[in-house]
Amino acid sequence: MILVVAAEKGGVGKSTIALNLAVHLAVNDVDLVLVDTDTQRTCAQFVDRRDEAGIKPRIHCIQRTGNVANTLRDLDTKHQVVIVDAGGRDSIEMRSAATVAQLMLVPTGASQPDLETMPRVNEIIKTAKVYNPNLQAFAVLSMASPNPLVSETTEAQDLLQEFSEMHLADTVIRSRQIYKRAMADGIGVVETDHGQAKAEIQLLAQEFIDLE
Ligand SMILES: Nc1ncnc2c1ncn2[C@@H]1O[C@H](COP(=O)(O)OP(=O)(O)OP(=O)(O)O)[C@@H](O)[C@H]1O
Ligand SMILES: [Mg+2]
């Protein structure tokens, strides 16, 4: 399957989600490739740090920019899972990946400026579905308050249920220092002893990636 992590907004946790899902799958012996289409190279640099530290399992990561549709189709025939970090903003990478992906995850914060970008994402998905009717898209609440009672989170969840082209993921990724620390150390949160962050990534994977 091809899973693309994309958003119209920058800094919402796309790379964090993409690379943590990749590590989780690799730890579970899934044959995956991580495709970094962002010239910021967040995922590629993460994998470089991981390799330099000699951490196993190694994550297979490639960098591609421009129209990535053919590359992704080809990788899909060779690997169980292809995870694409579509980078910041609406881009050719994001749009071309959306024409071949089975799944698009759209991380978003719960704040007003984050949520305001979601109608545009909804329109991009609508267009992608003309070419790719099998595309399923889900908003993922990301960097949410660790306090589950905070009303901003529940209000955002209510709003995110309303879009025509995307559902809302059940799993919520909360704002936790461990995501930053782990990324800096070249490890996934599933490789730390932080139970809550580990559970979030495991639940996200369970929700979307059927490995049977
Ligand atoms: N759940 C989280 N908890 C705490 N910090 C987080 C979380 N997710 C991401 N971050 C931090 O927020 C910053 C932005 O995250 P990330 O790079 O994943 O976002 P992005 O959407 O890929 O950004 P860009 O648009 O620049 O590619 C990073 O410093 C990252 O460590
Ligand atoms: Mg990024």
Side-chain angles (χ1 to χ4, degrees), residues 35-148:
V35 184
D36 191 345
T37 71
D38 189 351
T39 50
Q40 289 188 82
R41 298 186 70 247
T42 308
C43 286
Q45 280 172 333
F46 167 82
V47 170
D48 288 349
R49 284 196 295 281
R50 187 176 174 89
D51 286 346
E52 276 159 29
I55 299 162
K56 299 279 173 354
R58 293 189 68 174
I59 307 292
H60 181 191
C61 179
I62 66 166
Q63 289 171 254
R64 289 287 184 283
T65 52
N67 181 343
V68 293
N70 286 339
T71 303
L72 298 183
R73 265 200 214 98
D74 182 48
L75 290 169
D76 194 29
T77 64
K78 297 177 178 144
H79 301 276
Q80 275 173 283
V81 181
V82 181
I83 299 179
V84 187
D85 179 351
R89 311 273 161 143
D90 180 9
S91 62
I92 177 85
E93 288 82 7
M94 171 182 177
R95 286 185 183 253
S96 60
T99 64
V100 294
Q102 283 83 52
L103 180 64
M104 181 188 268
L105 298 184
V106 185
T108 176
S111 73
Q112 189 62 27
D114 289 342
L115 295 172
E116 272 168 5
T117 66
M118 295 303 271
R120 279 203 299 279
V121 177
N122 193 66
E123 286 308 305
I124 291 169
I125 296 165
K126 196 178 206 171
T127 309
K129 283 184 180 175
V130 173
Y131 304 98
N132 182 11
N134 295 327
L135 179 66
Q136 297 224 56
F138 289 81
V140 180
L141 208 48
S142 164
M143 300 162 90
S145 167
N147 177 350

